[in-house]
Amino acid sequence: MDLRIATIKYWIFFSLIPGSSILTCNAQEKDLCAPNYLQELQPGKARTWFQQKLKSNPEDAAAMIGLANTLLSFQSTDSAKILFRKVLDADVKNPFALAGLGLVAWMNNDRDSESNYFDRARRADKTNPEVYCAIAEGCLELPKQDTVTALVYLKQGLDLYPKYARLHFITGKLETSKKNYGAAANAYERAIFFDPKSALAYRNLGTILFYSRSYRDALTAYNSSVTLNPEQILVYKNLGDLYYTVAKYDEAEHSYQTYMERAEVTNDDKEQMAFTLFFNKKYKESETLLEQLQQISHDESLLHRIRGYIAYETADYQKGVE
């Protein structure tokens, strides 16, 4: 029983990963830790963090669940299943490990086992809204979503806890996945109403407003998110995209730079930064990034075109022609 209590406490304070939730978003946002990494689209950082935690304490059930959920984002279902079962060997009624096995079953197209594990997770701790959050969010965060099951458990949770901010936050994610942006914005606003210090709810609301081309309101939401938690990662990419769209290239460059200093940088990130530097008339820096990208993507015509523009702007006409 002590192991189960310790695990639940962990999920209350450190759980913004697939198949997990917290009492208030703000509880863990003040300190960027592994559970935040998946929300920040940094699965590699999350995996490393949990692996290090288990190295110091191999029987840490919360870390095993965290690593297992992280492995699901890599579609490593067999490894995740081993970890979830190891937790259940010590605590047969651990609701988060049971929920995790339900996610594994869904990934393996085993719908009967999925339903069984999710129901067992719910019955293991009926009065804990975190369990409903764990199942619903887990279904939405997997590479292959299960929006139907997510909706079922969101409704069950909201029937019991209509003022629970995290349930509204996950509802926003569900509506976003279905491209119901108006409903998503309303859900995030409810999450903020019940938890005004939720940096992630403000961030996601900002993204919905950005989709809607309400750029001023989106900027306000993003800035509120940064004020609540300046140690985030993804919000700076969001800000960079917004500033780039409205042609504020100085601000876009600054935001992208902050993002790239903290993130597992992708080629798409480098490409966007190169374009921003070009429009910001930092031709040498843009050319350097484009050269790096062309070593990977030799046939991408857009990169050649931007390099041609740079050659024109720097009066290197022969190179521009090439």
Side-chain angles (χ1 to χ4, degrees), residues 5-238:
I5 292 172
T7 304
I8 291 175
K9 286 183 177 179
Y10 179 92
W11 287 94
I12 289 175
F13 290 103
F14 299 101
S15 58
L16 275 178
I17 59 180
S20 59
S21 306
I22 52 172
L23 284 178
T24 64
C25 297
N26 189 56
Q28 56 77 50
E29 289 173 10
K30 293 180 180 178
D31 178 27
L32 185 62
C33 57
N36 229 7
Y37 286 144
L38 285 182
Q39 288 285 340
E40 303 291 348
L41 304 184
Q42 307 296 307
K45 290 179 180 288
R47 179 172 56 187
T48 299
W49 192 90
F50 283 120
Q51 287 172 337
Q52 291 175 345
K53 195 166 182 63
L54 284 170
K55 186 178 290 187
S56 62
N57 182 6
E59 301 304 316
D60 186 335
M64 279 189 272
I65 293 174
L67 179 57
N69 278 299
T70 302
L71 292 173
L72 286 180
S73 70
F74 291 99
Q75 303 190 49
S76 300
T77 54
D78 290 342
S79 298
K81 186 176 181 178
I82 290 170
L83 289 167
F84 287 132
R85 288 200 175 281
K86 188 173 180 180
V87 173
L88 290 175
D89 286 342
D91 174 16
V92 71
K93 291 187 178 182
N94 186 297
F96 302 107
L98 289 167
L101 286 175
L103 299 176
V104 170
W106 165 252
M107 291 289 290
N108 290 332
N109 297 312
D110 185 353
R111 294 307 303 268
D112 290 337
S113 294
E114 177 201 13
S115 298
N116 177 54
Y117 280 122
F118 286 157
D119 188 56
R120 287 172 60 187
R122 180 189 60 80
R123 287 186 283 111
D125 199 354
K126 291 181 180 179
T127 60
N128 184 357
E130 295 303 315
V131 177
Y132 300 93
C133 289
I135 297 170
E137 188 170 39
C139 289
L140 296 176
E141 294 295 338
L142 290 176
K144 183 182 72 170
Q145 291 184 330
D146 181 0
T147 57
V148 173
T149 302
L151 180 59
V152 167
Y153 283 92
L154 280 173
K155 284 183 175 179
Q156 290 181 9
L158 285 167
D159 284 344
L160 293 170
Y161 303 99
K163 298 181 180 180
Y164 200 72
R166 284 285 295 152
L167 289 167
H168 294 285
F169 176 83
I170 298 167
T171 299
K173 296 174 79 169
L174 172 64
E175 297 295 351
T176 300
S177 73
K178 297 162 70 174
K179 297 184 179 181
N180 296 332
Y181 298 130
N186 290 336
Y188 288 130
E189 287 173 349
R190 291 195 302 271
I192 291 167
F193 178 80
F194 292 119
D195 179 13
K197 295 183 178 181
S198 172
L200 290 179
Y202 273 110
R203 185 175 83 189
N204 286 17
L205 175 60
T207 299
I208 296 299
L209 293 167
F210 176 69
Y211 290 161
S212 304
R213 299 185 181 182
S214 300
Y215 298 134
R216 182 174 297 180
D217 292 336
L219 180 60
T220 298
Y222 285 147
N223 285 337
S224 296
S225 179
V226 171
T227 298
L228 288 165
N229 179 11
E231 301 305 315
Q232 296 176 74
I233 299 176
L234 191 58
V235 70
Y236 295 101
K237 184 180 187 304
N238 298 148

Side-chain angles (χ1 to χ4, degrees), residues 254-321:
H254 177 72
S255 296
Y256 284 138
Q257 188 62 45
T258 301
Y259 169 73
M260 293 176 71
E261 288 170 356
R262 302 180 182 191
E264 298 168 355
V265 179
T266 67
N267 290 333
D268 287 342
D269 295 333
K270 291 180 181 179
E271 189 173 291
Q272 188 62 45
M273 184 61 162
F275 298 160
T276 302
L277 290 167
F278 168 75
F279 285 115
N280 218 14
K281 299 184 178 181
K282 294 188 176 180
Y283 301 125
K284 183 177 180 180
E285 294 93 330
S286 180
E287 175 86 356
T288 298
L289 273 177
L290 291 169
E291 285 179 351
Q292 294 175 7
L293 289 166
Q294 286 190 306
Q295 291 175 7
I296 302 168
S297 303
H298 301 288
D299 299 325
E300 191 162 345
S301 61
L302 178 59
L303 304 185
H304 287 288
R305 181 150 56 92
I306 299 298
R307 291 190 69 184
Y309 293 153
I310 291 172
Y312 175 84
E313 295 292 346
T314 57
D316 190 352
Y317 301 123
Q318 181 58 44
K319 187 174 182 180
V321 171

